[in-house]
Amino acid sequence: MGSPTSWVLLGSEAGVASGHPHEKVWTRVATSGDVAASTFTFTNSTSSIYNSVAILAITAGTYDTGTPTSAVAFQNDGTTSSTSHTAPSRTGVVDGLLCTSHGSDTGGTAATYTPPSGMTEQADTNSGSGSYTALEVCTLALSSTAATGTRTATCTTSRPWKGSAPLAKT
């Protein structure tokens, strides 16, 4: 999967055959031209692969535009199926924002998520013919440098999964 022009790849982790999905996380500091954009095009070079995309906009002036995010951390279950899809714990950032993703190759079954306790769900989507992927994105405002703890979303379908956790910094 490729990103639109001038998006920066923050992190990527390969998937496993018959297991957890591949995941990429990009960042971009929006410009005035983005306000008028009605679409952003993410490319896919393999026709048999389904993708989900969620764009999370963070208010201007809220987070550091020079280095708005820390490196992303990933967690997965290999080829084991479960309804509990976990994003890894991170070291907190004072006045930061924890962003988590929870994704699954749903095997053609429609799926939705219940967000981790205390987090705000920003996106919950299926994509592809027969809904082969599901993706949820959640946020949580942070007030300290304490570890965030793992964050587990509940999926309506028991399938292999992957979670990620980048941090937005002030």
Side-chain angles (χ1 to χ4, degrees):
M1 181 178 213
S3 69
T5 303
S6 71
W7 289 60
V8 177
L9 184 63
L10 184 62
S12 177
E13 185 177 90
V16 173
S18 300
H20 67 81
H22 188 101
E23 184 173 344
K24 291 183 177 184
V25 176
W26 288 280
T27 64
R28 175 173 166 76
V29 175
T31 65
S32 58
D34 293 326
V35 175
S38 60
T39 62
F40 295 96
T41 302
F42 291 83
T43 59
N44 182 2
S45 61
T46 307
S47 63
S48 63
I49 301 295
Y50 297 98
N51 298 303
S52 292
V53 173
I55 296 176
L56 176 62
I58 300 172
T59 307
T62 307
Y63 296 97
D64 178 357
T65 58
T67 349
T69 53
S70 66
V72 62
F74 295 97
Q75 185 167 336
N76 68 73
D77 72 341
T79 58
T80 303
S81 291
S82 175
T83 58
S84 297
H85 299 179
T86 304
S89 181
R90 300 296 307 271
T91 300
V93 174
V94 175
D95 297 324
L97 185 70
L98 174 65
C99 304
T100 64
S101 73
H102 310 270
S104 179
D105 171 348
T106 65
T109 302
T112 59
Y113 281 95
T114 300
S117 178
M119 295 194 78
T120 302
E121 184 178 73
Q122 302 295 343
D124 189 348
T125 184
N126 282 285
S127 74
S129 175
S131 298
Y132 276 87
T133 63
L135 175 66
E136 176 185 60
V137 175
C138 299
T139 58
L140 176 68
L142 301 175
S143 59
S144 77
T145 58
T148 62
T150 58
R151 298 296 171 150
T152 302
T154 304
C155 187
T156 57
T157 302
S158 182
R159 295 287 296 166
W161 56 270
K162 181 171 286 169
S164 72
L167 293 168
K169 302 183 293 184
T170 55

